[in-house]
Amino acid sequence: NAGVTQTPKFRILKIGQSMTLQCAQDMNHNYMYWYRQDPGMGLKLIYYSVGAGITDKGEVPNGYNVSRSTTEDFPLRLELAAPSQTSVYFCASSHGQGTRYTFGSGTRLTVV
Amino acid sequence: GNSVTQMEGPVTLSEEAFLTINCTYTATGYPSLFWYVQYPGEGLQLLLKATKADDKGSNKGFEATYRKETTSFHLEKGSVQVSDSAVYFCALSDNSGGSNYKLTFGKGTLLTVNP
């Protein structure tokens, strides 16, 4: 039972480069989320999805894009990396309303 | 809007000490309340939850009671262990309207337990 799998675990990007953070879950959860975690700031919601083909913005979507072509996968795209996007990124999923989240182990991204 | 306020950390305790981490919330409806724990280098894991007023969530010796009158959900443990060292997050999901699958998190409290 893999749960939520995130890749890569670590990445260093140069300013202006692009990359995709991968997230996959094998629990058939409808809801998926991307958060970023900055020191002392808790978790901020970037984007979320309530099902395949449906995505919506969270609190801090600028500079990011997502897609949800399948129930299992929810990749996060950074088009033009900026130092402000240096953070730890967590993907999570949940079965439905008011239920527990299952988190991936995170991607630590540094933009230099 | 919804918000969660946790006590500022870091918190440093000796093994077997009593732990309290305060959490208060603001919500427009009737939220469910959660405590998540993040061990070093890992993602967050659900520690306990409560879905209505006066409910008590408990797990691994930790407890928290949903207090609607004080809008609080304080985390307690009678005797902490070194293995409890982690970051603890209070969170809520607002059960009014159609968006109660989204969580609002507090900033987290770092707990360090020394032997």
Side-chain angles (χ1 to χ4, degrees), chain A residues 27-94:
Chain A
M27 297 168 287
N28 202 33
H29 284 171
N30 286 323
Y31 301 90
M32 295 188 75
Y33 317 84
W34 274 106
Y35 284 88
R36 58 178 289 171
Q37 182 182 31
D38 300 311
M41 297 301 292
L43 281 78
K44 299 292 186 182
L45 182 64
I46 305 171
Y47 270 95
Y48 66 97
S49 169
V50 301
I54 306 170
T55 63
D56 209 345
K57 297 177 180 179
E59 300 173 76
V60 290
N62 292 343
Y64 307 95
N65 278 300
V66 294
S67 59
R68 185 93 183 273
S69 57
T70 66
T71 299
E72 293 77 19
D73 300 301
F74 191 41
L76 178 71
R77 178 83 177 164
L78 283 71
E79 291 292 350
L80 291 170
S84 61
Q85 294 177 303
T86 294
S87 188
V88 181
Y89 292 84
F90 287 101
C91 179
S93 70
S94 67

Side-chain angles (χ1 to χ4, degrees), chain B residues 29 33-34 83 102 109-110:
Chain B
L33 301 172
F34 306 81
S83 57
K102 291 193 289 181
T109 303
L110 173 63

Side-chain angles (χ1 to χ4, degrees), chain B residues 58-108:
Chain B
S58 61
N59 186 26
K60 299 182 180 180
F62 291 89
E63 293 182 340
T65 301
Y66 188 142
R67 301 287 189 198
K68 185 180 177 183
E69 63 275 14
T70 54
T71 61
S72 65
F73 193 54
H74 305 321
L75 182 68
E76 296 182 336
K77 186 174 185 182
S79 177
V80 294
Q81 305 299 314
V82 172
S83 57
D84 294 328
S85 298
V87 181
Y88 292 82
F89 291 91
C90 187
L92 71 82
S93 67
D94 192 343
N95 296 324
S96 64
S99 62
N100 60 351
Y101 45 84
K102 291 193 289 181
L103 287 179
T104 299
F105 286 91
K107 293 184 177 182

